[in-house]
Amino acid sequence: MYLFLRNLSLCEVLFTTNIVPKMLQVILQGGSSISFAGCLSQLYVFAATGIAECLLLTSMSYDRYLAICKPLHYSSIMSFKQHVYLVIFSWACAVILPAISISLICFLDFCGSNTIDHFFCDFAPLIKLSCSDTSTVEFEVFAQTIPVFLFTFIYIIGTYFNIFLAISKISSTVGRQKAFSTCSSHLTVVGAYYGTMIILYVTPNRRQSLKVNKTFSLLYSVVTPLLNPIIYSLRNKEIRKSFSSLILQKL
């Protein structure tokens, strides 16, 4: 699990450093400029880290499913090599899939306004600036979001359904609480992350206003990465104990 958490932390670091500094500049200066290549680079890193996080969260749900539902087979199924394979697969998809979308965007014509009504180069506001046919790009991105976001979310829900069934069969209250505590942090992060991403990228763009788009983008680009370290760290007894000792020393 810590191998997945390290890679998830790397995703969050790349995600926030890619979005937040430019966002703060836009807010403080009332606007900012960015080159076309810089805009596409920001969009690529944003999409890559989003895909990697979805696949890592899915791998973590599979890991929790095996640990709780098939504990005797866990060490034989989820070896260290299997963990590494899942991480490599997640990052490989994250590198390859956004490159297809970016290459299609490069062939679009941008001959009108060059003002993006957003605090970073997101897909929907960028596509609105194109004066050529964007149906191919929109279909390709929508086709990617179905397996990457929707199918992985359904898989996670399915694994947790089996996990809850297994936990309900545990006779002792302490055992149920211990089993549930191992996956409650992950489930909280999944709900916060997937909720906003599915609303933005699975729902057709024409049904969303730009204000709604920017609001949900702010949630998953700032609020969710801020909460993730708190959710995962402060539920760990050793970290809470070390944190309390540090505060007492300072006082």
Side-chain angles (χ1 to χ4, degrees):
M1 179 58 73
Y2 285 108
L3 176 64
F4 292 131
L5 288 177
R6 284 197 295 268
N7 282 271
L8 192 64
S9 299
L10 177 61
C11 273
E12 299 289 1
V13 170
L14 293 175
F15 189 88
T16 52
T17 53
N18 178 52
I19 300 293
V20 175
K22 197 66 178 178
M23 180 192 72
L24 294 175
Q25 184 181 11
V26 170
I27 294 173
L28 293 174
Q29 298 181 359
S32 180
S33 61
I34 187 171
S35 65
F36 183 67
C39 184
L40 292 183
S41 299
Q42 188 183 54
L43 178 60
Y44 176 80
V45 175
F46 161 72
T49 52
I51 292 172
E53 184 157 354
C54 284
L55 296 176
L56 286 171
L57 289 173
T58 306
S59 300
M60 291 167 70
S61 71
Y62 177 63
D63 180 83
R64 293 300 84 198
Y65 164 76
L66 291 176
I68 295 174
C69 299
K70 299 181 182 296
L72 298 179
H73 299 89
Y74 177 81
S75 58
S76 61
I77 298 175
M78 286 297 288
S79 61
F80 179 75
K81 186 180 293 186
Q82 185 67 25
H83 281 83
V84 173
Y85 286 157
L86 289 172
V87 170
I88 292 175
F89 174 77
S90 300
W91 284 109
C93 292
V95 171
I96 295 171
L97 293 179
I100 301 173
S101 303
I102 296 299
S103 62
L104 292 175
I105 294 175
C106 290
F107 288 103
L108 298 178
D109 294 324
F110 294 89
C111 52
S113 172
N114 61 353
T115 302
I116 298 177
D117 189 11
H118 212 298
F119 53 81
F120 74 100
C121 289
D122 200 359
F123 175 75
L126 179 62
I127 288 298
K128 289 181 182 296
L129 301 182
S130 176
C131 53
S132 56
D133 183 19
T134 60
S135 59
T136 302
V137 183
E138 291 181 0
F139 177 78
E140 188 273 334
V141 171
F142 182 75
Q144 280 191 23
T145 58
I146 297 300
V148 172
F149 294 119
L150 194 57
F151 287 174
T152 55
F153 180 69
I154 293 173
Y155 179 82
I156 291 173
I157 295 299
T159 56
Y160 272 101
F161 178 77
N162 289 298
I163 287 173
F164 290 146
L165 287 179
I167 291 176
S168 65
K169 296 177 182 178
I170 298 176
S171 57
S172 65
T173 304
V174 176
R176 287 197 298 269
Q177 290 177 349
K178 185 177 180 180
F180 184 75
S181 65
T182 61
C183 57
S184 58
S185 298
H186 177 255
L187 188 59
T188 304
V189 173
V190 167
Y193 182 76
Y194 272 90
T196 53
M197 295 293 276
I198 288 176
I199 290 173
L200 279 175
Y201 297 105
V202 178
T203 305
N205 292 328
R206 294 180 181 84
R207 298 180 182 177
Q208 301 171 8
S209 66
L210 284 174
K211 288 185 178 180
V212 173
N213 188 295
K214 286 186 281 189
T215 301
F216 280 103
S217 297
L218 186 65
L219 285 176
Y220 70 73
S221 61
V222 177
V223 178
T224 302
L226 177 66
L227 294 177
N228 281 356
I230 300 174
I231 293 171
Y232 278 114
S233 300
L234 295 185
R235 289 188 59 85
N236 186 288
K237 292 181 180 180
E238 288 78 10
I239 293 178
R240 285 204 306 268
K241 185 178 179 180
S242 300
F243 185 72
S244 300
S245 301
L246 180 63
I247 295 298
L248 291 174
Q249 289 176 5
K250 294 294 182 181
L251 293 176

